[in-house]
Amino acid sequence: MTEHIEKIQSLISRFDKETLKILEEITVTEQLKKGDILLQQGEICRKSSLIVDGVARKFIYTDKKEVTSEFFFKNDIAISFKSYIHQKPSKEVIECLTDVTVETVDYKAFETAKKGFPLLTEYDILLTELYIIWLEDRLFDFHALNATERYEQLLKKSPEYFHHLKLTHIASYLGVSLETLSRIRAKK
């Protein structure tokens, strides 16, 4: 994943002044409060949100319970990918777990900007590739690692924010019961 982030940074360093200017013009910084909703279930994901500071999570409702599928930490892009790409209603909710600062880019503004600035299309492709790599890693980890190893990986991802995650959210994300999570934590 580091290699891909380096590719993105390398591309951005090649952006000319006009490309940087248009990207800056369509980017809006927002301050959100703990508990604020970035995306509601059934709403179309009309923006991508780069987490500058704070923590958010993505979850779905199943059988009247919440299932956490993703945590977003600093430098993650909070998005419902399928909803964003197809501009169709989301099955997911994105919620702020702390006060959060995000840099958002509107879908339509970005699509328009890509037509006049080809490096933005390349940037979009690299971001999509990064998301696919993250998803593949997540699937691999879920099938190849045990719950303790998955817990340790989550802890390593952003230890400074880990205490903001509710145990029920962590257990759901790991696919284990609260009791199993308690046993994992007791061993640490």
Side-chain angles (χ1 to χ4, degrees), residues 26-30 48-52 77 101-105:
I26 63 173
T27 301
V28 176
T29 301
E30 297 179 34
S48 62
S49 300
L50 174 70
I51 304 289
V52 175
I77 297 176
T101 303
V102 291
E103 291 180 351
T104 64
V105 176

Side-chain angles (χ1 to χ4, degrees), residues 78-94:
I79 192 172
S80 174
F81 197 74
K82 186 175 181 180
S83 175
Y84 182 81
I85 295 298
H86 294 292
Q87 289 296 281
K88 302 276 185 193
S90 173
K91 296 176 185 175
E92 303 158 312
V93 177
I94 301 177

Side-chain angles (χ1 to χ4, degrees), residues 140-185:
F140 174 83
D141 291 351
F142 204 79
H143 293 289
L145 303 178
N146 64 41
T148 301
E149 292 166 329
R150 292 193 310 271
Y151 175 81
E152 289 169 351
Q153 282 202 338
L154 179 60
L155 179 61
K156 286 179 193 172
K157 177 149 173 130
S158 196
E160 67 275 18
Y161 287 109
F162 195 75
H163 66 281
H164 291 289
L165 307 180
K166 290 182 179 179
L167 295 180
T168 54
H169 298 164
I170 295 170
S172 173
Y173 178 80
L174 296 175
V176 301
S177 68
L178 275 173
E179 294 78 16
T180 299
L181 180 59
S182 293
R183 284 193 292 276
I184 291 169
R185 294 179 72 229

